[in-house]
Amino acid sequence: MEFTTIWPARTVAAALAFVLLDVVHAAQPVAAPHLRAPTSAMGTETDCTALSGPIGGGVVLNATTIPEKSDMPAYCRVTGTIAPSLNFEIRFPKTWNGKLYYGGGGGYNGFVPPPVAAPLRQGYVEVASDSGHQGDGMSAAFVLNDERAARLFGSEAVPEVMSIALKVVAKAYGMPPVRSYFEGYSTGGREGLMAVQRNPELFDGVIARAPAFNWVGFNGAFHRIAQALSAPGAEFKAAKIALLARHVRQACDKLDGVVDGIVANPAACTARRVNVAALRCSSGKDAGEHCLSDAQIAVVTQWITDVKFQGSNTYVAKGFNLTGNEDDPMNFGVWVSGNGDLKVAGQYVMQDTAVKYYLAKDETADSIAYGPWDKKPAALDAMATLNDATDPDIRPFIGHGGKLIVWQGGADAALSVNSTIDYMKQMRQVVGGENADHSTRFYVAPGVNHCEGGVGPDHTDLLSVLDNWIANGAEPGTLIARKLDESGRVVRALPLCQYPQYPRYTGPRHDTAAIRSASNYVCTNP
C-alpha cells in the first residue's frame, strides 16, 4: 500500500518528508461481528454531481469529479466543513466495494491528508479530515485559545467526521457501509487507538501504525533528550552518528544469523553487548570523529533509558533501542539531533510546541530552560486527558467483534517501539491472552524507520489482511514485508513476524540473492 505524508513538508523540519498491579479477569473471546450481506448498491458508481448540497447539521457538501492520473484512480471528491472549522473529504471510488476506509493524520494535523491510491483502487470510500484546525502540522499553537480545537485534535474529530461520512455514503448508495476500517500512522496511529479505546463501536477494524499514543510520555522524553543535546560538547553531527551506528552494527548485526545492515534481534542487542562506553574519548572531551565525548555518551544513555513523570498518574516513556540504523538519512539525525542543529530536529520541535502551548501556555517560553517536564503536574494531566490513548482495557472494542493490528518499524527513531511493546503487553494482561490472540495482532518490522523507509522492508498491505480477517475469518499469522525501489520493483523481502518473534536467517552463507528472499528466514523467539 502507498504511504501518505505523515509530517507536512512545509514545517521547519522539512526533511521529515512524511513524515508519537493486578487486573480483573478478562471475559471469554467473543464471536465476530454480524456482517451485513452485500446488496445491489455495491459495485456501482455514484452520481458525483448529486452529492453536492446540504446534508444536515449545517454542513454543505461540494462534489467534484477527479480524473484518473498515473498514480491515482479517478474518484469523486466530496468536501465539507463541520462548523466552525473541521474540514473533511470523502472520496468515492469508480466502483464501490461496500466498505469505508478512514485514513488518519500526522503530526498536529492542520491539513486534510491527500488521497491514498490503494484503498480507492480496491473500491473503498475513503475519508480524511484536518482534525478541526488549519496550520503547521508541527505546531500546537491552535490549542492555546481554542478548547474545541484541542478536543477535536485529541479525540473528537474522527467520530464527528464519521457521523457525517455515514450519512453521505447512505445518500450516495442508499445504504451504509458493510464494514468500516481505520488506518493511520504516527498521530494517525494514535487516532486509531483513541477510537478503539473511547469509541469502541465506531470501526470494525483498526490498523495503528507507529502510534504516537503516549503524548505526555513521548514529549517528556523528547524534552529530556533535547536538554541533554543542548549541553556543551553534546551535539551529534553526521560523523558522530555514523560512528555510533557502525559500532552497534558491529556488535549486533550478526545476532539474527546474517550480516545485512539490519539488527533484527533487538532483544539480544543489549546495552552491555553494545558497550557505548568503549567509544569514549580518552579525555572525556570531544577529540574528533572517532570517539564520543562524555556529553555525547550521556545523550546516548538517556536515549536508551526509560523515564517517568509525575502527575495524578505516573507517565512512562520507554527508552529507544540502538539499532545500527542511526545513520540512515531519516533516522537519528532528522528526528533527534538535527545533525548538529538541534532546533530543526523533529523531536525538539514537538516538545518545544508542547511546552509553549500545553504546559507553559506562553508562546515565548524557552523549552530548553523550562524546568522538569513534570513541574506542572496538572498541565500534564490535562494534556493526557486530551491526547493520550494509553488505556489498555479494550474489551468493549473486542466485545463488538473489533479487530486491531498494531505495526511499528524496529528502527523507529521518532517514537520508541519499546513503549508500544509495553502498551501491548499491558493490553494483553487486561483483556486476557485468549481475547488478545482472537482480536489483536502486533508486528515489528526490522530495520524500518518511523512509518516507512530505512534499510528494512517496509511495505505490507495490512488493509487487505484486516479485511480478510474480519470478512472471512482468516486469522493473520506471519506476513511478508517487501522493500520496493522507485519503480515499485521488489528488491528485498522478509517475514513480518508476530511480536516477540524476529526473522532469523537460515539460508546459505554469503549469498546476496538468498539474503534478499523471505523464504530463507524463519520467525524465531529471541
Side-chain angles (χ1 to χ4, degrees), residues 18 29 34 58 86 89 129 132 142 250 255 258 260 334 354 356 402 423 445 449 454 470:
F18 67 103
H34 175 70
L86 175 51
E89 286 189 15
S129 88
F142 66 93
Q250 184 175 8
L255 301 178
V258 63
D260 61 349
V334 161
K356 285 177 165 62
Y423 171 77
N449 290 338
I470 292 175

Side-chain angles (χ1 to χ4, degrees), residues 76 94 259 371 461:
C76 171
K94 188 173 181 61
V259 175
D461 181 2

Side-chain angles (χ1 to χ4, degrees), residues 354-379:
V355 167
K356 285 177 165 62
Y357 300 111
Y358 282 105
L359 304 184
K361 297 189 181 297
D362 177 2
E363 63 184 1
T364 68
D366 181 345
S367 62
I368 295 297
Y370 186 82
W373 182 250
D374 51 5
K375 77 174 186 178
K376 294 183 176 180

Side-chain angles (χ1 to χ4, degrees), residues 6 54 65 80 86 89 93 101 125 145 164 228 231 260 265 306 420 442 514 526:
I6 305 305
T65 299
L86 175 51
E89 286 189 15
Y101 171 91
V125 168
N145 298 305
I164 296 296
D260 61 349
N265 184 8
D306 299 350
T420 308
F442 179 35

Side-chain angles (χ1 to χ4, degrees), residues 311-447:
S312 61
N313 298 305
T314 298
Y315 301 103
V316 179
K318 293 291 184 179
F320 287 75
N321 293 329
L322 289 171
T323 66
N325 300 133
E326 289 78 14
D327 55 352
D328 184 273
M330 290 300 294
N331 200 274
F332 191 90
V334 161
W335 283 107
V336 185
S337 74
N339 290 307
D341 186 358
L342 175 59
K343 291 189 176 181
V344 304
Q347 290 186 357
Y348 173 87
V349 174
M350 292 299 285
Q351 65 81 36
D352 183 68
T353 199
V355 167
K356 285 177 165 62
Y357 300 111
Y358 282 105
L359 304 184
K361 297 189 181 297
D362 177 2
E363 63 184 1
T364 68
D366 181 345
S367 62
I368 295 297
Y370 186 82
W373 182 250
D374 51 5
K375 77 174 186 178
K376 294 183 176 180
L380 293 190
D381 293 340
M383 183 161 61
T385 298
L386 286 168
N387 298 335
D388 275 12
T390 53
D391 184 356
D393 189 356
I394 64 168
R395 283 174 295 176
F397 176 75
I398 293 173
H400 87 85
K403 306 296 186 187
L404 170 66
I405 298 176
V406 177
W407 172 102
Q408 189 159 356
D412 192 332
L415 303 171
S416 171
V417 70
N418 292 321
S419 284
T420 308
I421 290 168
D422 185 60
Y423 171 77
M424 295 301 287
K425 287 179 177 177
Q426 291 182 43
M427 179 275 295
R428 186 177 183 86
Q429 184 181 19
V430 171
V431 307
E434 197 172 357
N435 268 331
D437 290 343
H438 180 76
S439 301
T440 71
R441 291 293 185 271
F442 179 35
Y443 298 94
V444 176

